[in-house]
Amino acid sequence: MIKRTLFITLIFLSTILSAIAQNYAIVIHGGAGVMSKEKMNEEARAEYKAKLNEALQLGEQLLKDGATATDVVVKVINVMENSPLFNAGKGAVFTHDGVNELDASIMEGKTMNAGAVAGVQDIKNPINAAREVMDNSEHVMLSGKGASEFAKQQGLEIVPNKYFYTERRYQSLQSLLKHERERTNKDNTGTVGCAVLDTHGNLCAGTSTGGMTNKKYGRIGDSPIIGAGTYANNKTCAISCTGHGEYYIRLGFARDISAMMEYQNLSVTDACRKEIDKLSELNGTGGVIAVDAKGNIAMEFNTSGMFRGYIKSNGEKEIAIFENE
Ligand code: ASP
């Protein structure tokens, strides 16, 4: 009798353990900004949603196959970097001087290792370079020509700057140049990010961007700054941000969310909302995605839209663009 009870208990425990081990969650964003249903036609919406779906599906398959959160973040971001739709990789926005300068970062929650590149002009997939910095250098952030040289040494794909040319982003620059006095924060929408809980219980987050149209003087935003645009800690959550970078840097945005969870026991959603409120108080705009160590997802923003989506191992799934969608 005792043996039988023990046997049943063991089966019960192992079922629970394997269910916990299979727990995974992935959340992505493709940028926050001013978006309206009137200005974005059905076809454009469908195109964005299809690309977000492709990225999420790939991520979910990799997670089911037992891939690490880090591998998933890089591969999922690659899908969006290789699409002209987003302000990252191929579709990056133009600087004032008419070139494209890209930033990216990645952080692991288990080891708290991190890597980033800033202001690079010729690395096809900046998120891969950020990962190489994390895995194969003693540094956290490399910039400009040095970062490109390092990426080359690591065998990453290098492309001429004109690879990043897209007519849409070029025209955005031209229209800003005509109204030179206007701020730079227009039509930057499309920074990409991904946060993942893998089946091994580890978190990772990454962000990749072209920054802001018409940026000058080697301006760098929050996206490659660990603690501002990207953060991960297995004790709390993994976070990727999008929005007006200067505000995110001042707030220490991503790290602040993790700190609220760690020191004030806030849920991931409450912490993200609180941080977005702080952003609004400063008149900053943008959004954030996060996943906590249990697989809870947050997608918060104070703009009229944010390209976003998530999939969880319990079958929950969402892909959306506008507020209240
Ligand atoms: N955060 C990015 C930057 O400031 C831009 C964005 O996410 O839209 O460079």
Side-chain angles (χ1 to χ4, degrees):
M1 181 64 185
I2 293 178
K3 260 192 185 166
R4 214 177 134 212
T5 316
L6 197 68
F7 182 69
I8 292 171
T9 312
L10 279 177
I11 299 262
F12 180 69
L13 280 178
S14 76
T15 315
I16 289 194
L17 281 177
S18 74
I20 292 171
Q22 294 310 308
N23 191 25
Y24 62 78
I26 172 168
V27 57
I28 58 174
H29 71 75
V34 182
M35 297 173 194
S36 73
K37 282 191 179 153
E38 293 73 50
K39 285 203 182 129
M40 196 185 297
N41 64 31
E42 287 271 347
E43 205 181 311
R45 284 182 230 167
E47 208 182 347
Y48 274 103
K49 284 191 172 175
K51 200 40 98 175
L52 293 171
N53 190 43
E54 181 189 330
L56 280 174
Q57 296 288 351
L58 171 71
E60 178 171 44
Q61 193 49 55
L62 290 165
L63 286 165
K64 280 183 175 165
D65 293 345
T68 65
T70 312
D71 280 341
V72 175
V73 164
V74 170
K75 289 191 174 134
V76 165
I77 288 184
N78 286 165
V79 171
M80 295 187 281
E81 282 181 335
N82 293 341
S83 159
L85 292 176
F86 302 99
N87 173 18
K90 174 66 189 152
V93 298
F94 283 81
T95 67
H96 181 74
D97 296 331
V99 294
N100 312 86
E101 284 179 0
L102 301 89
D103 310 323
S105 66
I106 189 163
M107 184 166 184
E108 288 180 341
K110 183 184 178 191
T111 56
M112 295 190 72
N113 280 340
V117 292
V120 297
Q121 296 192 0
D122 56 2
I123 300 174
K124 186 180 176 210
N125 293 106
I127 194 68
N128 298 52
R131 191 206 181 143
E132 292 297 331
V133 173
M134 173 170 76
D135 288 349
N136 295 316
S137 87
E138 54 190 305
H139 308 295
V140 171
M141 190 194 284
L142 299 179
S143 70
K145 290 207 171 86
S148 295
E149 206 179 303
F150 173 75
K152 231 177 273 172
Q153 278 173 17
Q154 299 305 312
L156 295 189
E157 192 170 348
I158 303 296
V159 291
N161 192 253
K162 65 176 190 299
Y163 162 80
F164 301 107
Y165 182 94
T166 56
E167 188 60 20
R168 169 188 163 201
R169 300 298 191 182
Y170 186 69
Q171 290 311 329
S172 292
L173 173 66
Q174 298 317 309
S175 85
L176 274 183
L177 290 176
K178 269 192 215 142
H179 309 95
E180 183 61 61
R181 278 207 213 126
E182 285 185 27
R183 309 278 309 243
T184 50
N185 57 337
K186 281 201 170 167
D187 189 32
N188 309 303
T189 310
T191 291
V192 306
C194 177
V196 168
L197 167 69
D198 68 22
T199 54
H200 315 284
N202 293 320
L203 294 169
C204 181
T207 311
S208 182
T209 190
M212 287 180 139
T213 309
N214 201 23
K215 63 186 181 181
K216 289 182 194 168
Y217 313 120
R219 179 264 185 194
I220 304 290
D222 61 309
S223 308
I225 299 179
I226 296 301
T230 303
Y231 199 72
N233 181 345
N234 270 10
K235 277 194 205 155
T236 56
C237 67
I239 305 157
S240 170
C241 303
T242 170
H244 198 149
E246 279 68 9
Y247 294 88
Y248 283 73
I249 296 171
R250 290 183 197 129
L251 285 165
F253 197 100
R255 163 75 186 142
D256 206 26
I257 289 172
S258 173
M260 281 191 269
M261 292 179 69
E262 190 173 354
Y263 306 137
Q264 299 184 327
N265 269 323
L266 257 58
S267 72
V268 66
T269 303
D270 288 350
C272 286
R273 270 198 205 132
K274 247 193 161 165
E275 197 62 27
I276 289 284
D277 288 346
K278 292 188 193 181
L279 179 70
S280 303
E281 275 165 32
L282 297 180
N283 294 321
T285 52
V288 59
I289 55 160
V291 56
D292 74 11
K294 291 192 183 117
N296 297 306
I297 300 278
M299 304 190 293
E300 299 292 327
F301 51 100
N302 67 0
T303 49
S304 46
M306 177 167 81
F307 298 109
R308 62 195 186 277
Y310 73 85
I311 295 186
K312 288 166 74 160
S313 48
N314 66 4
E316 272 179 49
K317 178 176 179 179
E318 184 184 319
I319 294 178
I321 301 176
F322 306 103
E323 222 183 337
N324 306 320
E325 194 174 325

